[in-house]
Amino acid sequence: MRRDAGLSATEACRAITRRVGGAAFHPERRKLRELERGQVVRSRMWGTPEGAGRLVRILAEVYGVPERVVMDAWRRTRPDDVVPLLAERATREPGAAVEQVWGALNGRQRTYLTCIFRQDQEAEEDQRRRRFLGGTGRKSVEWRRMDLALYAPPELVGRTRIQGRLREEGVHDPGAGSSVAALERRGLVVTYRDRVHVQGLGEVRRTRVELTRRGRAVARRGLGVVREKGPPPSLMSRWLWCILVRVALAGSEGVDGSLAGRGPHFLAVGRSPGGKSPSRGFIELRHPDGAGHGPYRWFVTESGLRHIRDHHAAYRELYPDIDTGHIVLSHTVASDGSQPA
């Protein structure tokens, strides 16, 4: 990773020193090379889970890669070290300005923002469900833009989902009126106007609406919606964790090589999601043990098993409904510290 970043060991140490908290590690060329080679590093700062976690975070900044990439490389290079602990980053609460924006909206404007927000969250949950089931989700630029109004008789084209939500709240405006314009002026939504072909009617005018980041923040604050936290640093989403567990549970039988979805692009050896950073290398596609031909199957790698051992307790708390019991029992580190065969 250091070489990919175009840095010598000396340059990397200088960059570490310039980062917040980096000087406390007293980075030296010799120590960095020892770290990279899996050798013993005589440093109190680097020998604790918290200290190792801080160094992982700094190296990710210096090398310009996600923290998970450094964490995975650390565990492959230094499997006998303590597991680095990546502290959760402090999250900033929405400021008074967000509250002021919500307070400045009148009742009708709040209703519009609320209905658009609910539809946005429904679309987001639908995409999350698609990924969980192994399907391929659409780009957010597509599903974030939601139909607000079709300018044709509703008995012919029906009503959009947002219009349906508005009618449930007692608002019967046929299209995007002054309320949506007021939300757009405040930077809470963006509207798009185009034409769409409707069978039997031809070209029909359409208005679409997209909630901005600011709009979501204002809606959450006003409605008291707590944003769902993602998994802690270096841990995986429920979708990816399910795939890893499924492959690990298969053991020596492996999983059919046609494993659906984009999961392999994030988990498999040699894959690269988006070509920007390496995958985690937790599963691999190969012949079963002892077979030199025939279909390829997915098997868990040693890195994948190590990740399960390292973070099993955290995943059990995150996703208690996903059973991994016998995976951990069959690959548990023995009481004397040795690894199982």
Side-chain angles (χ1 to χ4, degrees):
M1 286 187 295
R2 175 172 58 77
R3 288 172 177 167
D4 285 345
L7 298 173
S8 67
T10 301
E11 291 169 336
C13 288
R14 290 173 183 165
I16 292 171
T17 303
R18 290 193 295 268
R19 292 302 190 280
V20 176
F25 290 96
H26 304 290
E28 301 173 2
R29 178 180 179 278
R30 174 183 55 81
K31 288 183 180 180
L32 185 60
R33 297 301 297 275
E34 289 174 348
L35 182 78
E36 294 172 346
R37 293 168 177 166
Q39 299 171 350
V40 175
V41 180
R42 303 190 182 283
S43 171
R44 287 180 296 178
M45 284 289 292
W46 297 18
T48 66
E50 295 78 10
R54 286 195 292 272
L55 183 57
V56 164
R57 182 157 283 163
I58 290 174
L59 288 176
E61 295 175 359
V62 170
Y63 296 155
V65 297
E67 292 170 1
R68 65 166 180 82
V69 176
V70 180
M71 173 70 90
D72 294 344
W74 186 296
R75 294 299 290 146
R76 286 193 294 269
T77 305
R78 312 183 64 79
D80 298 325
D81 278 13
V82 297
V83 180
L85 178 62
L86 291 173
E88 291 192 42
R89 295 184 184 274
T91 56
R92 294 187 299 175
E93 291 295 326
V98 174
E99 288 190 17
Q100 290 175 359
V101 174
W102 176 263
L105 300 177
N106 63 34
R108 179 173 287 262
Q109 291 163 359
R110 290 182 182 180
T111 299
Y112 265 88
L113 182 61
T114 298
C115 291
I116 294 171
F117 173 74
R118 297 299 188 195
Q119 184 61 28
D120 175 87
Q121 296 302 289
E122 182 180 285
E124 186 173 290
E125 178 60 29
D126 179 65
Q127 293 302 307
R128 188 181 297 115
R129 190 182 306 111
R130 286 173 181 268
R131 291 194 298 269
F132 177 72
L133 295 176
T136 302
R138 296 183 297 158
K139 296 180 179 179
S140 61
V141 70
E142 298 174 359
W143 59 263
R144 289 283 185 198
R145 297 183 183 182
M146 304 165 289
D147 288 349
L148 176 61
L150 290 173
Y151 298 94
E155 59 271 17
L156 299 178
V157 298
R159 293 185 174 87
T160 67
R161 187 70 183 92
I162 295 177
Q163 286 176 326
R165 292 179 183 275
L166 288 168
R167 291 178 71 85
E168 291 172 3
E169 298 297 326
V171 178
H172 299 277
D173 288 351
S178 59
S179 297
V180 173
L183 297 178
E184 189 164 27
R185 285 196 302 271
R186 290 176 169 86
L188 306 182
V189 302
V190 179
T191 58
Y192 305 88
R193 293 174 174 82
D194 59 9
R195 291 180 176 273
V196 61
H197 182 79
V198 176
Q199 185 69 30
L201 293 179
E203 297 292 320
V204 173
R205 288 188 302 117
R206 174 177 66 173
T207 296
R208 310 183 80 190
V209 64
E210 179 179 359
L211 201 61
T212 65
R213 288 179 182 271
R214 177 182 174 85
R216 276 188 288 276
V218 170
R220 286 194 182 98
R221 190 68 168 183
L223 299 173
V225 176
V226 178
R227 186 173 186 177
E228 183 179 346
K229 294 176 63 177
S234 86
L235 299 192
M236 298 184 295
S237 65
R238 169 186 288 271
W239 167 55
L240 292 177
W241 176 242
C242 280
I243 294 176
L244 178 59
V245 167
R246 178 187 171 193
V247 176
L249 282 171
S252 60
E253 295 296 322
V255 172
D256 186 276
S258 60
L259 189 64
R262 299 186 64 215
H265 292 283
F266 294 91
L267 293 177
V269 173
R271 303 300 178 95
S272 177
K276 295 180 179 179
S277 57
S279 70
R280 307 206 68 161
F282 290 165
I283 61 176
E284 61 182 342
L285 186 63
R286 60 175 175 82
H287 286 127
D289 292 339
H293 62 279
Y296 285 82
R297 300 185 70 83
W298 291 104
F299 297 91
V300 66
T301 65
E302 181 56 38
S303 290
L305 291 175
R306 187 180 296 115
H307 183 83
I308 293 173
R309 291 196 295 266
D310 287 347
H311 304 292
H312 175 248
Y315 279 119
R316 185 168 52 190
E317 184 175 346
L318 273 173
Y319 316 124
D321 56 316
I322 301 177
D323 182 19
T324 62
H326 83 263
I327 299 176
V328 177
L329 290 175
S330 62
H331 298 285
T332 303
V333 178
S335 59
D336 60 359
S338 61
Q339 300 286 336

